[in-house]
Amino acid sequence: NEILLNNIIIICENDEIYIYYLSENPLCLKFFGLFRSLIYNMIHGILNKWSKLLIIDGIGYKFTIENNNLQIFSGFSHNIFIIIPNDISISLLSQSRILINGINKSKVGLFAAKIKGIKKPEPYGGKGIRYNTDVLIKKIGKKEKKTKKIKK
């Protein structure tokens, strides 16, 4: 099989994929890099699955899974339900941690970002939904600022 796109040739032979570029112009080289990384992400997703770990912090904040729906208790007056897509699986590690898995890197990332966007971590208490790799830099509040000034 051979595919030609924007002066890029992609050839599939004997369980191997070859990518060639026909010209040295910068746009062609950018497409070459794009196609190479997209193919790599597809292969990696099939072999290892992409995953994101989300953590929810706060009193009464938790995740639950019911009937292919992710239920989020995040301090609002109502619970939030999100339908889990068919090509994504969610593992409930604890009430405050979920692991999102899938073979498509962009779908896993978009779904995790959708969940995180519901309640982003706030800078004073750190309550909210975050990735396990996120580093929270907490701000000090007014009360703490005043007490520090008095001590001087």
Side-chain angles (χ1 to χ4, degrees):
N1 296 332
E2 188 173 316
I3 302 169
L4 176 65
L5 295 166
N6 293 335
N7 292 325
I8 304 288
I9 298 175
I10 302 172
I11 300 172
C12 299
E13 290 178 342
N14 303 331
D15 295 334
E16 293 181 352
I17 299 172
Y18 300 98
I19 306 172
Y20 301 103
Y21 52 90
L22 301 178
S23 69
E24 293 280 337
N25 75 14
L27 185 63
C28 183
L29 295 176
K30 289 177 185 176
F31 276 114
F32 172 78
L34 172 70
F35 293 144
R36 190 214 63 78
S37 65
L38 288 175
I39 291 169
Y40 170 78
N41 287 342
M42 286 184 226
I43 294 169
H44 181 274
I46 290 170
L47 296 177
N48 301 325
K49 289 203 175 184
W50 294 101
S51 63
K52 292 270 187 180
L53 179 64
L54 287 174
I55 300 169
I56 190 166
D57 285 329
I59 297 173
Y61 290 15
K62 64 180 180 177
F63 295 117
T64 58
I65 297 175
E66 296 178 4
N67 303 332
N68 204 30
N69 286 328
L70 176 67
Q71 186 176 7
I72 303 171
F73 299 86
S74 59
F76 294 117
S77 61
H78 59 285
N79 301 336
I80 296 169
F81 291 91
I82 298 177
I83 298 171
I84 301 169
N86 294 334
D87 53 348
I88 290 178
S89 63
I90 294 183
S91 305
L92 195 64
L93 304 177
S94 69
Q95 286 188 341
S96 63
R97 293 172 168 255
I98 57 170
L99 184 65
I100 302 170
N101 288 318
I103 61 171
N104 191 332
K105 183 179 183 181
S106 62
K107 284 187 179 181
V108 170
L110 285 173
F111 190 70
K114 181 180 178 182
I115 294 170
K116 182 182 175 184
I118 290 170
K119 187 81 169 187
K120 292 183 180 173
E122 49 108 349
Y124 294 100
K127 296 186 290 186
I129 303 171
R130 62 181 174 88
Y131 298 119
N132 67 323
T133 56
D134 285 353
V135 177
L136 288 179
I137 301 172
K138 292 186 180 179
K139 294 181 179 180
I140 57 174
K142 288 181 186 178
K143 203 172 201 179
E144 292 176 14
K145 285 181 182 178
K146 288 179 181 178
T147 56
K148 287 184 179 180
K149 286 182 181 177
I150 293 171
K151 288 181 182 178
K152 288 182 180 179

